[in-house]
Amino acid sequence: MEVRKAVLPVAGWGTRFLPATKAMPKEMFPIIDKPVIQFIVEECLHAGIENVIFVTGRHKRPIEHHFDINTDLEKHLEHCGKTQLLKNIVEISRITNPIYIRQKEQLGLGHAVLVAEPAVGAEPFIVSLGDIVIKSEENVLSRMVDVYKRLGKSIIAVFEVEPKDVVKYGIINARYIEKDIYMVDDLIEKPRPEEAPSNLAIVGRYLFTPRIFEKIRVTPPGKGGEIQLTDAIKLLLEEEAVYAIKLNARIYDTGTPLGYIQTLVEFGLEREDIKSELFNFLKNLVAEERPALK
Ligand code: G1P
């Protein structure tokens, strides 16, 4: 069966960024001039996904506006002759085919995915987390879809992290099958370094068979009192094989203040229009002993 749908859970509070996220979704934070969520949506579209399903909350309206048509703005840009800006705006509002579903209570990532079940139905689907941006030669989701076509089971994307960072991620225990493909034996959500079975961390891209919904329904609250997707995958393992793909990619975790700043700097250093000035600024900043402000 074709993989046509992607679920993007975007209902979280973004507490790590309060007070900025009190009225502004963290998914709308810009990486220079493009919101994080647009990177995620474009990745889905480039992989041939037809329906993007946002699992959203009451404070997330700007996301809906972002992917909507803004006729007044388009007219204004046309009038001013700002054709490139107009093209950018038009593209993102026309190509998406969004569905918005409210997660009324914030009961965890597993619960957010379950909320999307009526829109997904009984077909395989992608889950893509709204704060991880991935840069790689090949579109990661397309690669996952290809592996799914071959193996017909759920796939999790993972990457190697340093031992000190395992505490930030779901970690898998897995057996090597072939280049970059593993069979998952077990998973643990945000373990302490001494508990972690490996350094392979779940990166926020999943492809699930619809059976995951049954498993989420019976998953009890786990880490942090939340219904964890990682725990539901563990239950899925009792019935179906789950595979992991190890990514050879650059991962940008925009969900923490440090990760967000690192993302901005790296993307800035790759932009032709600002890179040399930004580079000089950073070099001078690091080299300089700045006098304290009086
Ligand atoms: C979630 C998942 C975790 C995964 C991570 C990737 O955690 O629960 O397994 O490794 O995303 O970013 P969160 O970062 O939402 O706390």
Side-chain angles (χ1 to χ4, degrees), residues 16 109 129 132 169-170 189-190 202-204 206 228 230:
R16 278 176 277 210
L109 179 59
L129 300 192
I132 302 272
Y169 299 98
E189 181 67 11
K190 304 197 174 85
I202 303 173
V203 72
Y206 312 79
Q228 295 290 351
T230 305

Side-chain angles (χ1 to χ4, degrees), residues 16 26 109-110 129 131-132 156-157 159 166-171 187-190 200-206 226-231 233 251 253 255-256:
R16 278 176 277 210
K26 69 173 176 168
L109 179 59
L129 300 192
D131 46 16
I132 302 272
I156 312 172
F159 72 125
V166 293
V167 69
K168 297 189 213 159
Y169 299 98
I171 302 292
L187 313 90
I188 174 165
E189 181 67 11
K190 304 197 174 85
L200 293 176
I202 303 173
V203 72
R205 300 292 184 274
Y206 312 79
E226 298 189 342
I227 298 170
Q228 295 290 351
L229 188 55
T230 305
D231 295 341
I233 304 170
I251 312 294
D253 186 353
T256 64

Side-chain angles (χ1 to χ4, degrees), residues 29-50:
F29 284 9
I31 299 179
I32 324 278
D33 50 14
K34 191 193 279 192
V36 173
I37 192 69
Q38 188 173 332
F39 285 89
I40 315 287
V41 168
E42 286 175 353
E43 186 189 339
C44 291
L45 298 172
H46 292 155
I49 296 297
E50 292 165 23

